[in-house]
Every structure is written in C-alpha cells, then in structure tokens.
C-alpha cells in the first residue's frame, strides 16, 4: 500500500473513532449548539426590541435585531465547538492514548486530521441547528444561491482556522482544565466586535479593537452575503485572517505534536 493510501486509511480510522465518540456522547454536540441558541433567544426576545430600535431608528425592532445578530451567533457556535475540540485533544494527550498511537505503525498526522475533520462535522451540525432555530423564529435571509454558497465557504474557512487553533491549544495544555480555558476568548470576540451592536456605538479604544480584530470582518462578510449589506474590503480581510490563522496554527500544532513528550509522569 502506498504512503497516500496509508494516510487516507489511517485518517479515516481516526475520524471514525472521533465520530463514534460524538455519537456515544450526543450531549456534547447538543451543548455546543445549545449555548448559541440560548444566546440567540436571549438577545432577540429580551434585548431585541431595544437594540433593534437603535439599529433602524423609529422603524427598527426585534426583527431587525434578529437579522443583525445572526452572524455573531453563528461564530459563537464555531467557537463553542473549538472549545470542545481543545478539550478532546487535551484528554487524548493526558490520558496517554496519543502516546500509545505514537508507538504504533500508523500515519502519525492522521491523529490530528481525525480531530480536525470530526470538528468540522460537529460544527456543521451545530450551525445547522442554530440556523434552523433562527429560521423558525423569523430570520429571513435575502441571499441568492451563489451568495449562500459563498457564505458556506466563508464559514468553512473560519471553522478550519479556528479548529486548527483549538487543536494547537489542546496539544500545548498541561491539563484538560487549561485546554477548556485557552479557547474561551474566542467566545467573547463576537461581543467585542460587530456581532451584537455596531462598533460605532463603542468607546474609542474598544471600537479600535473591535474594528481590527478578526471576528469583525468575518461577521461583516457573512452579514453582507446573507442580508445584502455592504461588505467593502471585509471579505478580503476575512480571507487573509483565515489563511494566516490556519497556517500559523497548523505549524504550531505540528511542532507541539512532534516535540519529545519526555518521560511519563509518575
């Protein structure tokens, strides 16, 4: 069997292992999808009337805020799965299963590939749940089929970048608790960007951070594709952030995975 064939076979085996873990513990998937849904319902039905009036003037309301907040909620779902991925990788590292895999004749990168592809699958399921709830409560995107395809592509790029970052966080964490905390700022970035309120309403220092952090161009690109608002240069900036984060995180994860694990703790 050729090396590419080994790589595909072992990656498929690792993916199947992670998917079986997800299937046996469905509450994890429901939890990572449930948290963004709770935030969606909370912000739309508790704060949406007031915040929506601020968006659309006297004619604005809860429906306007529902349309505005969806991109930020989608990115919260992506960040939630990333946190679970970091925890899963850290559990494999601390419980010794990766050390065991290292002694076996398998394609070593397949271990990380399995985590990344299973995280992409879990994120797709989580995003589908969030979008279904949004449609049920009145979200009506205006995107054409081409714009929907572009939005899915943007979400896939963002998810790949965030997933590799979470894998690296899991690999460098000494404990599972540390791995659960490292990706936590990702859940906050939609709040510190244009996810929930316009950046123009923020104090100067916070507005500067909000406008230049990566989640704001992610959100503005998705909002433009789904709702027809102006995108400007946000799409190009979003793609640049995705490529940069993916490349840097991949190299970080590879270095962490290939380092000498040292003697086992007693």
């Amino acid at each position: 069997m050729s090396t590419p064939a080994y790589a595909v076979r072992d990656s498929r085996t690792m993916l199947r292992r992670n998917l079986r873990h997800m299937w046996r513990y469905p509450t994890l998937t429901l939890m990572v999808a449930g948290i963004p849904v709770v935030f969606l319902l909370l912000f739309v039905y508790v704060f949406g009337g007031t915040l929506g009036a601020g968006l659309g003037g006297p004619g604005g309301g809860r429906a306007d805020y529902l349309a505005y907040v969806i991109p930020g909620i989608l990115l919260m779902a992506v960040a939630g799965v990333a946190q679970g991925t970091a925890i899963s990788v850290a559990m494999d590292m601390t419980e010794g299963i990766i050390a065991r895999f290292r002694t076996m004749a398998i394609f070593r990168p397949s271990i990380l590939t399995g985590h990344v592809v299973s995280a992409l699958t879990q994120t797709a399921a989580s995003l589908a749940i969030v979008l279904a709830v949004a449609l049920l409560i009145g979200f009506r995107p205006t995107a054409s089929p081409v714009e929907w395809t572009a939005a899915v592509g943007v979400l896939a790029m963002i998810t790949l970048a965030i997933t590799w970052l979470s894998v690296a966080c899991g690999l460098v964490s000494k404990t599972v608790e540390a791995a659960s905390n490292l990706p936590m700022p990702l859940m906050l970035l939609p709040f510190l960007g244009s996810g929930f309120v316009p950046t123009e309403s923020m104090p100067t220092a916070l507005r500067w951070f909000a406008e230049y952090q990566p989640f704001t161009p992610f959100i503005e690109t998705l909002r433009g594709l789904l709702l027809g608002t102006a995108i400007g240069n946000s799409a190009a900036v979003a793609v640049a952030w995705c490529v940069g984060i993916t490349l840097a995180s991949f190299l970080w994860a590879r270095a962490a995975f290939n380092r000498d694990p040292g003697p086992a703790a007693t």
Side-chain angles (χ1 to χ4, degrees):
M1 189 178 288
S2 64
T3 300
Y6 274 121
V8 171
R9 184 201 62 181
D10 292 342
S11 296
R12 198 167 52 206
T13 301
M14 292 299 166
L15 172 61
R16 191 162 55 243
R17 167 182 177 264
N18 287 289
L19 291 179
R20 282 181 177 174
H21 188 268
M22 288 168 50
W23 183 255
R24 289 174 182 171
Y25 302 98
T27 52
L28 180 61
T29 300
L30 293 176
M31 186 185 71
V32 297
I35 291 175
V37 169
V38 169
F39 272 93
L40 172 63
L41 299 177
L42 176 68
F43 272 85
V44 170
Y45 287 109
V46 178
F47 307 119
T50 301
L51 294 175
L55 289 174
R62 188 168 284 110
D64 297 282
Y65 191 69
L66 171 62
Y68 183 86
V69 81
I70 288 299
I73 295 292
L74 292 175
L75 292 189
M76 283 192 69
V78 175
V81 176
Q83 189 176 21
T85 302
I87 293 171
S88 179
V89 172
M91 287 177 65
D92 278 357
M93 292 293 288
T94 56
E95 292 178 356
I97 188 65
I98 287 184
R100 178 74 180 97
F101 285 148
R102 280 173 166 152
T103 67
M104 300 170 67
I106 62 174
F107 185 67
R108 290 181 60 176
S110 66
I111 302 169
L112 299 185
T113 303
H115 277 292
V116 170
V117 178
S118 65
L120 294 176
T121 305
Q122 193 175 31
T123 303
S126 180
L127 291 174
I129 293 172
V130 172
L131 269 176
V133 173
L135 291 171
L136 284 174
I137 64 175
F139 177 54
R140 296 294 179 265
T142 59
S144 66
V146 173
E147 290 168 329
W148 267 110
T149 303
V152 170
V154 170
L155 279 171
M157 286 195 300
I158 297 170
T159 302
L160 184 64
I162 300 301
T163 299
W164 272 113
L165 180 60
S166 66
V167 168
C169 290
L171 288 169
V172 300
S173 298
K174 300 296 183 185
T175 64
V176 175
E177 289 77 13
S180 69
N181 293 329
L182 275 180
M184 189 71 75
L186 296 175
M187 294 286 287
L188 300 177
L189 287 180
F191 292 97
L192 302 177
S194 62
F196 291 84
V197 295
T199 57
E200 292 80 7
S201 65
M202 300 177 180
T204 302
L206 183 56
R207 184 176 62 194
W208 184 90
F209 175 80
E211 290 177 348
Y212 289 99
Q213 58 113 330
F215 274 52
T216 293
F218 294 167
I219 290 166
E220 292 303 320
T221 303
L222 289 173
R223 187 172 286 139
L225 290 171
L226 295 177
L227 298 166
T229 58
I231 294 180
N233 67 345
S234 294
V237 176
V239 171
W241 270 114
C242 287
V243 172
I245 294 172
T246 302
L247 182 60
S249 301
F250 169 75
L251 295 175
W252 184 21
R254 188 180 67 173
F257 185 69
N258 290 333
R259 72 187 174 188
D260 183 0
T266 58

